[in-house]
Amino acid sequence: MNRKKGDKGFESPRPTTHQVVCINNINFQRKSVVGYVELTIFPTVANLNRIKLNSKQCRIYRVRVNDLEAAFIYNDPTLEVCHHESKQRNLNYFSNAYAAAVSAVDPDAGNGELCIKVPSELWKHVDELKVLKVHINFSLDQPKGGLHFVVPNMEGSMAERGAHVFSCGYQNSTRFWFPCVDSYSELCTWKLEYTVDAAMVAVSNGDLVETVYTHDMRKKTFHYMLAIPTAASNISLAIGPFEILVDPYMHEVTHFCLPQLLPLLKHTTSYLHEVFEFYEEILTCRYPYSCFKTVFIDEAYVEVAAYASMSIFSTNLLHSAMIIDETPLTRRCLAQALAQQFFGCFISRMSWSDEWVLKGISGYIYGLWMKKTFGVNEYRHWIKQELDQIVAYELKTGGVLLHPIFGGGKEKDNPASHLHFSIKHPHTLSWEYYTMFQCKAHLVMRLIENRISMEFMLQVFNKLLSLASTASSQKFQSHMWSQMLVSTSGFLKSISNVSGKDIQPLIKQWVDQSGVVKFYGSFAFNRKRNVLELEIKQDYTSPGTQKYVGPLKVTVQELDGSFNHTLQIEENSLKHDIPCHSKSRRNKKKKIPLMNGEEVDMDLSAMDADSPLLWIRIDPDMSVLRKVEFEQSDFMWQYQLRYERDVVAQEEAILALEKFPTPASRLALTDILEQEQCFYRVRMLACFCLAKIANSMVSTWTGPPAMKSLFTRMFCCKTCPNIVKTNNFMNFQSYFLQKTMPVAMALLRDVHNLCPKEVLMFILDLIKYNDNRKNKFSDNYYRAELIDALANSVTPAVSVNNEVRTLDNLNPDVRLILEEITRFLNMEKLLPSYRHTITVSCLKAIRVLQKNGHVPSDPALFKSYAEYGHFVDVRIAALEAVVDYTKGTFACVFLFISLVDQLWKLMNSGTSHDWRLRCGAVDLYFTLFGLSRPSCLPLPELGLVLNLKEKKAVLNPTIIPESVANNQEPVNSTNNHGQSVGFQNTEDDHLIKETASSISGHQQGVKRKADMPLGSPLEPGQILEKNEDSKVKLKIRFSNSQEEEEIDMDTVHDSQAFIYHHLNMLERPSTPGKEQSSGEVNMHPVSAAPLSVFSKESNSSKHSDHHHHHHHEHKKKKKKHKHKHKHKHKHDNKEKEKDPFKKKCTCCSWYFLWEGKD
Amino acid sequence: MLQSYISEIGRSAKSYCEHTARTQPTLSDIVVTLVEMGFNVETLPAYAKRSQRMVITAPPVTNQPVTPKALTAGQNKPHPSHIPGHFPEFPDPHTYIKTPTYREPVSDYQVLREKAASQRRDVERALTRFMAKTGETQSLFKDDVSTFPLIAARPFTVPYLTALLPSELEMQQMEETDSSEQDDQTDTENLPLHMSTDDSGPEKENASVLQQNTSLSGSRNGEENMIDNPYLRPVKKPKIRRKK
């Protein structure tokens, strides 16, 4: 909706004031739900004779309006986006159709899937604008989205088995489990009733009024009341045999977890009250709901989901007191969830384009919490990290728009035409885009804070909250409830009211417009004028960038102190003269004052004798969403690293120093490593930089391998330096350093490009002497990282004549490594570590060994670990490995075609039960094939324009805009791989961790997705699949930096693996009878692997050969033909999958049509 | 004849005495025996008092050999009051002194660590090999299944439990470290092993931000029963007339 309208309150033709949801029966065995809803509607317009509601998946038996039977129509255009098996296969077409389908049921536009005819007897009643009560009986059978059943396959009653069910979904997804007006902007009060097995607990929104047994005493009914007006999208439910823990500090807070996890729950939630106190204090506002519930469940859709007065978390966030690494992560999740209680649940949004305000505020106050809890360093590090992420994403995809305004629905005006999806609706957004959107939102909030001060900022929040809480206690008729909705304009207005400042330019720059700023800076010192001539250029032509005009802070550290200068960046001025305060070398002896007032002695011998400049920083406070590439000489970076106290500056300096492999850089890095006052993340980063520098300096390096003596000094026994001390992780800083250093050291290479023997032995000794008996904390993460270190030390095998890898010709070093890995992996079976971190590392290491040609490449191992029933982290690792098989290998075009087909089906109709999954499928399709018709597809029978010859000329270029352009030239750099992989791994580590949440969310979400084909509800297949695709994305992102050319093939192959898995896993749990498929699935990787050594040319030529070849064939034989080919099985498989798939979809969509009673 | 007669008397007398549950024959036993054997006991006194009986002189008294005094080391402990005086004395004090005889333990830190490490490694390897031998395995090499056997991955029914809950070993360790923590303060100096546990230096304050909040629990647990939380309230019985 647009801004002007927003202020006056949202007008809906069918505002609901109260809704009753009653679920009478939940059957875990059959995964079904039966219940009814009753909506109280106040018509606002006369002649309202049709009421549109949202409902998906539900089977609706009966609709009554004021006790009169009413006819209804069910039509959901999103079930199948493109009808009639269109031959289009082009993403542009799909995206438009999808956006249209979604807006056709958009509740904010008064639409919905379910259209109820108000009985004619009531028309008069309606014209008098009297209350209508709509009563709908519905049931839900094996829901694929919205509600997720987790039913472990074992003996015992459902409660004993730990079976549970919970609501989930991306954005407004409540319509998946009961009919409602599924919008964030339509508020009403709620009465919720759930009748469940006596051994179960139903947790839902609002206050639990009472729990009553049914007459047979075998079930009980939970009655909830939610008197605060709440949007349907914020309604949630979790039912299971939960253990109940009342928070010892706040009795109105209750925690729930699955059986046996109570001790973990106690520990994990013991911290929550502090978060509460913090938010209530800064917002000077009490927590708006009368109670709060946290539920920890398995197979969560996302790590954290916030709903009115309750939050649903992944059970994997629980941890015991012995775990170090997970603790801050979990606390962050808790804090995030709580921040969203205030902004997101209590205060909802006016329309989708106001989403950024909510995400921004909740992200911003969460940031304040971080700053208070983890310290300023951690906070600034986080901001930097988020900034880098958003910048990288925007530059890659072309921009994230926070506040899209849609004028008149003309597609031409589409503000996001660079994207392959529409940003008009939350449901069409790529998940990755959405995470970046949230990230940008809170960064922009921080920019606003910079402009108007934190005090005013908090006042604004307080104002929003207090208005909302006044409104929440009002009756509906007073039309006050819209105060509980936040809109962009309302938010901006209260900012200007409170602060009196005009932030319009800022909003225009960052909110109404997408893109980030890219600065290139360089400088020269003019000795005569004693002036610093700074040149700042901008790149505002590449995609994802915008021009910045306005103030820019530059900090110059001179001999006499640190000085801030605010430059005005204008249209044409590139050069800025900044007068220097100090004459060079005037006062050698004096201490040098820093920004923070500290005065330090510096060894100035390294600097340029003519210039008083120590270092220069552009936009040190990150008050512009930008990427800065600044040139200054190596000694300046070194000074910056040593003496600048800002962690962001230190990190920047470390990154810059990678390009200066000199003894001076080495010294600076080593000093930082040793300095205990230095922020631990900076020190960790320094480890990796030092490894890189050491490798570049390998011929001139003197002394023991980098970091070895340092590690010995810090962590080994004084008397016997080859033995590491028994573990004591009380000091977390040194714990993290101890973990990281071996990983970085393993990246060292000698002149032969091998990992020095000394280093390998050192790491093996660390493993050997690792002794955790006296430690208060678990060492599982440490051991896992030691295995990562082993993996990092692996270099490509010297292969003689492509011999087959056997035990006999195993390199002795590798034998040692393998010995360790085997033992660790086996021990994990007997004594599993927390979150199976060690298994994860072992799997990764095995894959590295395979990839480097030490061990035969065989995906069977990973496949077994990827199956449903393994811990989710393990499955992700295994899947990553499986996907990796396809890297660099070449598959024939047949696969592409089936892949296109399958993927198309998936996004067209296979994923209608999960927005996120569908968008994920779209992303994957886009990554593989680009916006237009996939080039590998045979021409549509309609015969577009092309014939064989032309095709090459026309189709391929169309794909070029994205990385997919490289489609035809995959590069097989198996040899380079080893090294780059090594580096990647470590870098990726961070990335992976960051993205982990989204991935795991993803994959989990995925769980309940694609089962459609087989009609089995949530399935691992899905999980997998989503994993896969998010992984694909990951890979792309990573590889961009180093292996540009490979990208494309990688992803292509990724997707194949993805499909396998999809197939493979899909079949498994649902119908044991189909197990055969898993066997067949093996076919591909095995066959593909040997092909991996193709050279560039052969690849491309082959590719096109196949291409044509297939093209011909295809024309003749048409699609159903089974090619006599290795992949025959695969086809079979696919067909198996497709058939039920299709049937089911079509059934569904028409099933409800006119099912009414008339 | 005489000998067998006498031995028969002895034997029967013993039998009589044992018959009455004694070990030492008494006069009456012999009397009964003689009666049994048809000897007129009454004639015995007369016979004893006959005039011309032979008197055998008592053997000459030889000096009792002096038993050499046992080697005493110090004073025996006197009996405490509750032990009757006729009981034997306590053993000599030296019997309470123990003299350990085992070998000097190896206390060289390096050797100890070395030993502990290799021992653990051997145990682990043996155990995993055993498990691998007795169960299903996977292998990295097609041609050789035995050198690097991997225990086959088996899916769990409830995967999160094993992944999240600390293993029993860890639990045990945790208890141990908890209890040993107090000791640590006192005897850090004595034990060579503790040379590793210093190093918790100046940064403790920084670290404490992340530090686990162990101080929780305890104090408030008592109140929990009083807490009015809707989830703790008893479940109500159904009313007879409930709106449904």
Side-chain angles (χ1 to χ4, degrees):
Chain A
M1 292 295 110
N2 42 51
R3 293 179 180 194
K4 284 163 222 151
K5 203 170 174 188
D7 276 338
K8 286 171 195 149
F10 187 79
E11 290 286 307
S12 162
R14 34 122 175 79
T16 317
T17 58
H18 184 70
Q19 181 163 356
V20 177
V21 178
C22 175
I23 289 183
N24 303 321
N25 190 7
I26 293 203
N27 187 331
F28 280 92
Q29 198 72 54
R30 294 183 39 228
K31 299 185 179 170
S32 66
V33 165
V34 180
Y36 68 85
V37 294
E38 192 177 275
L39 296 93
T40 311
I41 290 179
F42 271 95
T44 47
V45 286
N47 65 43
L48 173 80
N49 45 22
R50 276 166 199 276
I51 299 171
K52 287 193 172 174
L53 296 177
N54 295 111
S55 170
K56 272 166 101 61
Q57 291 188 129
C58 306
R59 175 178 307 190
I60 292 166
Y61 293 111
R62 186 180 188 203
V63 176
R64 279 173 298 165
V65 179
N66 285 9
D67 291 329
L68 291 167
E69 297 291 342
F72 61 94
I73 310 172
Y74 184 89
N75 178 27
D76 184 0
T78 63
L79 279 184
E80 192 177 358
V81 175
C82 304
H83 294 278
H84 316 304
E85 179 52 27
S86 141
K87 292 281 174 242
Q88 288 270 11
R89 296 286 187 267
N90 120 22
L91 205 52
N92 264 329
Y93 176 77
F94 176 84
S95 289
N96 290 337
Y98 183 36
V102 171
S103 41
V105 293
D106 182 14
D108 282 339
N111 293 330
E113 293 89 351
L114 181 67
C115 180
I116 298 168
K117 251 177 158 169
V118 178
S120 48
E121 297 92 320
L122 288 171
W123 287 4
K124 205 174 157 219
H125 184 83
V126 171
D127 288 344
E128 289 160 13
L129 303 185
K130 279 186 188 156
V131 180
L132 290 181
K133 284 203 182 221
V134 181
H135 187 103
I136 304 174
N137 288 69
F138 70 98
S139 79
L140 206 54
D141 201 24
Q142 310 234 345
K144 281 139 217 141
L147 271 192
H148 180 53
F149 282 89
V150 180
V151 184
N153 185 14
M154 56 199 260
E155 294 295 303
S157 74
M158 282 300 165
E160 285 159 4
R161 286 153 75 168
H164 55 285
V165 61
F166 58 93
S167 64
C168 58
Y170 161 57
Q171 286 282 331
N172 36 348
S173 295
T174 309
R175 66 184 86 170
F176 284 100
W177 59 287
F178 66 81
C180 58
V181 180
D182 192 10
S183 157
Y184 280 102
S185 60
E186 302 220 6
L187 309 178
C188 64
T189 53
W190 295 83
K191 165 114 183 61
L192 307 157
E193 293 177 29
Y194 307 101
T195 305
V196 300
D197 198 90
M200 300 264 188
V201 182
V203 187
S204 189
N205 316 90
D207 294 310
L208 176 63
V209 182
E210 56 179 0
T211 319
V212 184
Y213 278 114
T214 51
H215 288 281
D216 58 3
M217 301 291 280
R218 281 158 66 191
K219 293 187 167 187
K220 48 190 182 181
T221 308
F222 287 79
H223 295 264
Y224 284 92
M225 282 290 276
L226 183 56
I228 293 179
T230 303
S233 314
N234 278 325
I235 296 298
S236 65
L237 164 69
I239 297 173
F242 298 124
E243 306 218 24
I244 300 172
L245 172 70
V246 177
D247 194 289
Y249 296 92
M250 300 168 296
H251 299 167
E252 58 279 20
V253 177
T254 321
H255 311 292
F256 301 87
C257 68
L258 293 166
Q260 300 182 50
L261 298 177
L262 190 60
L264 303 186
L265 181 73
K266 258 185 198 155
H267 177 76
T268 308
T269 56
S270 62
Y271 173 75
L272 188 68
H273 66 281
E274 291 185 33
V275 190
F276 260 101
E277 282 162 20
F278 176 78
Y279 286 143
E280 291 190 349
E281 196 180 311
I282 61 161
L283 297 171
T284 51
C285 168
R286 283 199 59 83
Y287 175 68
Y289 298 99
S290 55
C291 61
F292 181 59
K293 287 143 286 189
T294 64
V295 189
F296 291 82
I297 43 80
D298 190 25
E299 299 183 2
Y301 187 77
V302 283
E303 298 256 282
V304 182
Y307 301 97
S309 84
M310 78 183 269
S311 289
I312 296 182
F313 298 94
S314 160
T315 195
N316 302 333
L317 292 175
L318 294 175
H319 59 87
S320 70
M322 297 162 63
I323 307 300
I324 298 175
D325 300 51
E326 182 62 33
T327 309
L329 301 179
T330 300
R331 291 188 178 176
R332 286 166 73 156
C333 288
L334 289 175
Q336 243 168 338
L338 208 49
Q340 287 173 19
Q341 287 292 313
F342 292 91
F343 294 95
C345 296
F346 181 60
I347 294 193
S348 191
R349 65 175 192 229
M350 198 76 90
S351 72
W352 162 238
S353 58
D354 305 315
E355 169 81 349
W356 76 274
V357 179
L358 290 178
K359 288 295 169 203
I361 298 178
S362 60
Y364 170 77
I365 58 175
Y366 160 68
L368 294 181
W369 170 84
M370 285 248 300
K371 200 195 290 186
K372 183 229 161 201
T373 312
F374 297 117
V376 176
N377 284 348
E378 180 76 31
Y379 173 72
R380 287 187 67 89
H381 170 81
W382 175 67
I383 293 286
K384 163 94 179 359
Q385 216 176 4
E386 298 272 288
L387 183 62
D388 287 350
Q389 257 184 43
I390 184 73
V391 167
Y393 181 80
E394 294 211 37
L395 293 180
K396 188 186 90 187
T397 61
V400 171
L401 184 57
L402 288 184
H403 182 61
I405 306 164
F406 304 97
K410 273 176 276 167
E411 280 306 319
K412 296 268 160 57
D413 300 341
N414 187 352
S417 52
H418 53 279
L419 294 166
H420 60 280
F421 45 82
S422 156
I423 57 168
K424 219 166 167 178
H425 296 281
H427 297 152
T428 56
L429 280 196
S430 150
W431 177 253
E432 195 188 8
Y433 179 92
Y434 185 61
T435 32
M436 286 300 126
F437 174 92
Q438 298 178 31
C439 164
K440 186 169 186 176
H442 81 77
L443 288 174
V444 168
M445 258 335 140
R446 187 175 157 271
L447 298 189
I448 297 177
E449 180 224 82
N450 283 349
R451 187 66 57 87
I452 68 167
S453 88
M454 178 153 74
E455 196 187 333
F456 283 138
M457 200 71 176
L458 294 176
Q459 275 181 33
V460 171
F461 299 160
N462 178 264
K463 197 175 155 195
L464 293 176
L465 283 170
S466 47
L467 277 178
S469 54
T470 326
S472 70
S473 53
Q474 306 284 318
K475 281 269 175 336
F476 168 71
Q477 277 83 350
S478 57
H479 289 284
M480 283 282 285
W481 286 1
S482 63
Q483 297 283 3
M484 299 180 70
L485 303 176
V486 77
S487 69
T488 306
S489 55
F491 175 65
L492 296 182
K493 201 188 267 171
S494 42
I495 285 186
S496 74
N497 284 349
V498 168
S499 71
K501 286 185 184 153
D502 176 26
I503 60 162
Q504 207 51 49
L506 189 151
I507 296 298
K508 191 161 166 280
Q509 180 117 40
W510 304 119
V511 179
D512 292 341
Q513 195 174 317
S514 70
V516 291
V517 183
K518 224 171 153 182
F519 289 124
Y520 297 97
S522 59
F523 76 98
F525 177 67
N526 187 328
R527 189 148 64 113
K528 271 186 200 149
R529 298 165 53 211
N530 197 25
V531 155
L532 164 66
E533 295 168 358
L534 192 64
E535 188 183 35
I536 297 178
K537 282 189 241 166
Q538 283 188 55
D539 168 11
Y540 44 83
T541 48
S542 13
T545 55
Q546 59 167 299
K547 190 192 283 183
Y548 178 76
V549 175
L552 183 70
K553 191 165 140 191
V554 173
T555 304
V556 182
Q557 174 72 43
E558 299 176 35
L559 290 173
D560 280 359
S562 190
F563 302 96
N564 288 330
H565 304 272
T566 308
L567 308 181
Q568 277 303 324
I569 303 289
E570 283 156 24
E571 288 287 324
N572 304 317
S573 74
L574 297 172
K575 303 236 177 199
H576 304 269
D577 286 352
I578 299 174
C580 287
H581 296 73
S582 28
K583 293 281 186 214
S584 59
R585 284 299 152 109
R586 263 292 154 74
N587 28 23
K588 259 186 216 167
K589 301 272 160 64
K590 258 173 61 186
K591 288 190 169 189
I592 294 164
L594 298 180
M595 197 44 142
N596 59 358
E598 207 179 325
E599 297 203 337
V600 292
D601 281 317
M602 287 187 206
D603 173 18
L604 298 174
S605 56
M607 68 184 293
D608 183 359
D610 294 334
S611 139
L613 302 171
L614 284 165
W615 66 82
I616 300 165
R617 298 184 61 206
I618 293 179
D619 187 27
D621 298 330
M622 298 177 281
S623 49
V624 176
L625 303 184
R626 86 295 190 269
K627 177 190 177 114
V628 179
E629 282 173 23
F630 188 65
E631 286 171 29
Q632 57 183 0
S633 30
D634 58 342
F635 69 85
M636 298 177 82
W637 288 120
Q638 286 152 14
Y639 281 124
Q640 180 171 333
L641 173 59
R642 282 169 192 264
Y643 301 111
E644 172 61 64
R645 296 299 182 229
D646 178 11
V647 290
V648 175
Q650 291 172 352
E651 285 172 11
E652 281 166 0
I654 289 175
L655 288 181
L657 281 179
E658 275 174 22
K659 293 183 211 86
F660 301 101
T662 60
S665 303
R666 174 184 172 184
L667 195 63
L669 287 167
T670 321
D671 286 350
I672 280 293
L673 267 181
E674 283 182 83
Q675 210 177 333
E676 291 196 344
Q677 294 92 324
C678 184
F679 185 48
Y680 75 101
R681 286 187 193 273
V682 172
R683 295 165 80 192
M684 285 160 72
L685 199 62
C687 291
F688 292 102
C689 181
L690 194 54
K692 279 181 197 164
I693 286 186
N695 288 343
S696 315
M697 295 170 63
V698 66
S699 50
T700 56
W701 189 269
T702 51
M707 294 174 276
K708 172 139 190 277
S709 51
L710 192 62
F711 189 95
T712 310
R713 204 172 335 133
M714 293 172 73
F715 303 111
C716 291
C717 306
K718 307 263 179 321
T719 51
C720 34
N722 61 327
I723 297 183
V724 68
K725 291 176 190 171
T726 54
N727 294 341
N728 177 10
F729 297 155
M730 289 300 280
N731 180 339
F732 293 148
Q733 277 93 335
S734 52
Y735 161 70
F736 280 107
L737 208 58
Q738 187 178 358
K739 263 192 345 174
T740 310
M741 254 200 244
V743 180
M745 281 174 72
L747 293 172
L748 294 174
R749 296 291 179 264
D750 62 14
V751 276
H752 308 296
N753 209 13
L754 297 172
C755 182
K757 185 94 178 162
E758 194 183 350
V759 171
L760 179 63
M761 285 306 145
F762 172 73
I763 296 169
L764 287 172
D765 271 351
L766 287 184
I767 293 175
K768 180 176 168 192
Y769 293 117
N770 177 43
D771 183 349
N772 206 45
R773 281 173 302 179
K774 296 263 168 198
N775 199 356
K776 208 179 151 205
F777 299 102
S778 165
D779 66 344
N780 62 314
Y781 285 94
Y782 173 57
R783 280 187 290 156
E785 299 231 4
L786 288 178
I787 298 168
D788 291 344
L790 285 182
N792 275 355
S793 74
V794 174
T795 45
V798 189
S799 80
V800 189
N801 314 330
N802 271 338
E803 56 187 338
V804 186
R805 281 292 144 200
T806 58
L807 257 183
D808 307 327
N809 55 21
L810 197 61
N811 176 322
D813 286 349
V814 174
R815 184 177 278 269
L816 290 174
I817 295 177
L818 206 50
E819 189 94 19
E820 295 300 328
I821 292 175
T822 316
R823 199 165 46 82
F824 270 121
L825 194 53
N826 284 338
M827 279 308 286
E828 273 278 277
K829 302 289 187 314
L830 309 173
L831 287 175
S833 61
Y834 178 71
R835 293 191 79 154
H836 297 325
T837 44
I838 294 173
T839 307
V840 169
S841 288
C842 286
L843 291 179
K844 283 183 188 153
I846 290 176
R847 180 58 197 144
V848 171
L849 285 174
Q850 292 188 347
K851 216 151 72 175
N852 282 291
H854 294 289
V855 173
S857 249
D858 177 10
L861 178 74
F862 300 115
K863 283 189 176 161
S864 66
Y865 278 97
E867 273 173 47
Y868 183 72
H870 286 283
F871 186 65
V872 67
D873 292 0
V874 174
R875 300 184 66 198
I876 296 178
L879 279 172
E880 257 165 16
V882 172
V883 167
D884 200 46
Y885 276 94
T886 56
K887 219 176 210 179
T889 59
F890 180 74
C892 83
V893 187
F894 301 133
L895 280 178
F896 273 137
I897 296 184
S898 48
L899 183 65
V900 171
D901 258 9
Q902 228 169 348
L903 213 48
W904 183 265
K905 275 221 162 101
L906 197 62
M907 55 194 212
N908 193 28
S909 48
T911 47
S912 63
H913 47 84
D914 188 331
W915 314 114
R916 187 175 71 176
L917 182 61
R918 174 173 263 171
C919 296
V922 171
D923 279 355
L924 179 58
Y925 194 88
F926 173 72
T927 319
L928 294 174
F929 309 116
L931 274 177
S932 39
R933 194 180 158 75
S935 61
C936 59
L937 272 198
L939 301 176
E941 275 87 357
L942 306 170
L944 273 180
V945 203
L946 318 161
N947 62 26
L948 252 181
K949 285 167 214 156
E950 283 168 1
K951 180 165 126 199
K952 222 177 174 184
V954 181
L955 277 186
N956 290 344
T958 51
I959 317 170
I960 284 177
E962 285 301 323
S963 54
V964 190
N966 303 325
N967 214 344
Q968 306 282 17
E969 34 170 319
V971 171
N972 250 303
S973 57
T974 359
N975 284 337
N976 300 338
H977 233 89
Q979 308 149 10
S980 56
V981 165
F983 285 114
Q984 246 173 306
N985 271 351
T986 50
E987 280 163 25
D988 293 0
D989 264 0
H990 304 289
L991 281 171
I992 287 178
K993 266 171 209 159
E994 284 152 38
T995 34
S997 57
S998 71
I999 296 179
S1000 60
H1002 257 205
Q1003 95 256 60
Q1004 279 156 349
V1006 177
K1007 210 159 237 187
R1008 53 202 81 89
K1009 318 194 162 155
D1011 352 20
M1012 198 145 206
L1014 290 174
S1016 66
L1018 64 116
E1019 216 118 316
Q1022 274 111 348
I1023 278 201
L1024 296 181
E1025 144 211 339
K1026 189 41 174 243
N1027 278 345
E1028 291 281 320
D1029 95 54
S1030 52
K1031 211 150 301 141
V1032 172
K1033 279 183 245 149
L1034 269 185
K1035 267 215 178 106
I1036 298 165
R1037 212 177 302 138
F1038 299 154
S1039 31
N1040 266 340
S1041 54
Q1042 293 178 332
E1043 320 171 76
E1044 289 260 312
E1045 286 165 308
E1046 276 187 13
I1047 291 170
D1048 171 37
M1049 283 317 279
D1050 290 356
T1051 54
V1052 168
H1053 294 287
D1054 287 359
S1055 61
Q1056 282 163 354
F1058 145 73
I1059 292 293
Y1060 285 147
H1061 270 276
H1062 186 58
L1063 292 176
N1064 194 354
M1065 303 304 165
L1066 262 183
E1067 311 256 336
R1068 194 113 335 162
S1070 56
T1071 43
K1074 290 195 179 174
E1075 290 243 323
Q1076 31 162 358
S1077 68
S1078 65
E1080 295 163 359
V1081 170
N1082 283 336
M1083 289 298 294
H1084 163 72
V1086 177
S1087 65
L1091 292 174
S1092 62
V1093 208
F1094 280 164
S1095 69
K1096 192 173 182 176
E1097 296 93 83
S1098 70
N1099 262 351
S1100 47
S1101 62
K1102 267 236 161 149
H1103 185 284
S1104 47
D1105 277 352
H1106 273 278
H1107 198 115
H1108 299 300
H1109 171 65
H1110 178 256
H1111 179 67
H1112 289 302
E1113 205 176 323
H1114 211 262
K1115 269 200 165 173
K1116 282 181 225 147
K1117 304 189 182 171
K1118 300 223 167 160
K1119 279 199 176 168
K1120 293 249 161 153
H1121 176 76
K1122 284 179 190 169
H1123 306 278
K1124 283 180 187 168
H1125 192 273
K1126 273 181 197 163
H1127 305 286
K1128 187 176 159 192
H1129 290 297
K1130 219 190 150 204
H1131 283 268
D1132 290 353
N1133 233 347
K1134 225 165 286 158
E1135 265 159 29
K1136 231 183 268 167
E1137 186 204 43
K1138 273 177 207 163
D1139 288 340
F1141 185 107
K1142 214 184 279 173
K1143 261 180 236 153
K1144 220 190 160 180
C1145 284
T1146 38
C1147 287
C1148 286
S1149 55
W1150 301 110
Y1151 196 87
F1152 299 104
L1153 215 62
W1154 294 111
E1155 214 204 6
K1157 283 249 165 166
D1158 46 350
Chain B
M1 181 73 175
L2 179 69
Q3 195 187 353
S4 67
Y5 188 76
I6 291 175
S7 56
E8 176 56 24
I9 292 176
R11 198 193 57 77
S12 326
K14 186 160 179 277
S15 302
Y16 278 112
C17 111
E18 282 172 359
H19 182 229
T20 50
R22 282 178 280 110
T23 54
Q24 296 273 316
T26 58
L27 184 62
S28 57
D29 289 330
I30 297 170
V31 171
V32 176
T33 307
L34 290 173
V35 170
E36 184 72 8
M37 291 174 75
F39 181 82
N40 190 354
V41 186
E42 265 142 45
T43 63
L44 209 55
Y47 178 74
K49 284 177 189 156
R50 73 183 191 275
S51 52
Q52 63 282 67
R53 62 188 167 133
M54 238 166 46
V55 176
I56 303 163
T57 53
V61 179
T62 52
N63 278 353
Q64 283 276 321
V66 184
T67 44
K69 225 184 169 188
L71 189 65
T72 53
Q75 209 62 38
N76 287 4
K77 249 205 300 189
H79 281 160
S81 56
H82 61 272
I83 298 180
H86 61 272
F87 274 58
E89 284 186 9
F90 279 117
D92 288 342
H94 76 266
T95 52
Y96 294 100
I97 297 172
K98 42 186 175 182
T99 321
T101 56
Y102 54 82
R103 264 191 307 146
E104 182 80 1
V106 194
S107 60
D108 181 27
Y109 184 71
Q110 186 169 353
V111 180
L112 271 183
R113 287 294 300 278
E114 181 84 49
K115 253 192 170 165
S118 49
Q119 212 166 45
R120 197 190 50 202
R121 172 176 299 228
D122 291 345
V123 169
E124 283 182 7
R125 191 174 348 210
L127 182 61
T128 51
R129 294 241 155 187
F130 172 72
M131 295 301 288
K133 280 230 170 82
T134 50
E136 255 181 87
T137 53
Q138 290 163 323
S139 174
L140 295 173
F141 295 91
K142 288 245 149 53
D143 53 335
D144 187 339
V145 263
S146 60
T147 316
F148 295 109
L150 294 173
I151 302 175
R154 206 166 288 132
F156 307 92
T157 39
V158 186
Y160 59 86
L161 281 184
T162 48
L164 299 180
L165 287 173
S167 64
E168 270 170 48
L169 185 78
E170 281 176 312
M171 295 289 261
Q172 204 183 327
Q173 260 176 32
M174 193 153 62
E175 277 159 29
E176 275 170 23
T177 45
D178 277 353
S179 59
S180 70
E181 214 150 84
Q182 285 98 28
D183 308 347
D184 275 1
Q185 263 92 43
T186 54
D187 54 15
T188 306
E189 272 79 9
N190 307 342
L191 297 169
L193 264 178
H194 273 94
M195 61 192 308
S196 55
T197 55
D198 49 14
D199 198 38
S200 53
E203 292 181 45
K204 257 197 166 162
E205 279 167 358
N206 295 336
S208 66
V209 183
L210 283 176
Q211 216 80 280
Q212 319 284 330
N213 203 343
T214 45
S215 62
L216 168 81
S217 77
S219 61
R220 297 198 175 225
N221 283 353
E223 300 170 24
E224 213 157 283
N225 300 332
M226 328 277 280
I227 298 171
D228 181 36
N229 184 293
Y231 292 95
L232 300 180
R233 283 178 212 147
V235 181
K236 290 182 187 166
K237 296 275 153 59
K239 288 164 211 152
I240 309 301
R241 300 171 73 228
R242 247 185 67 217
K243 246 197 325 196
K244 183 72 201 269

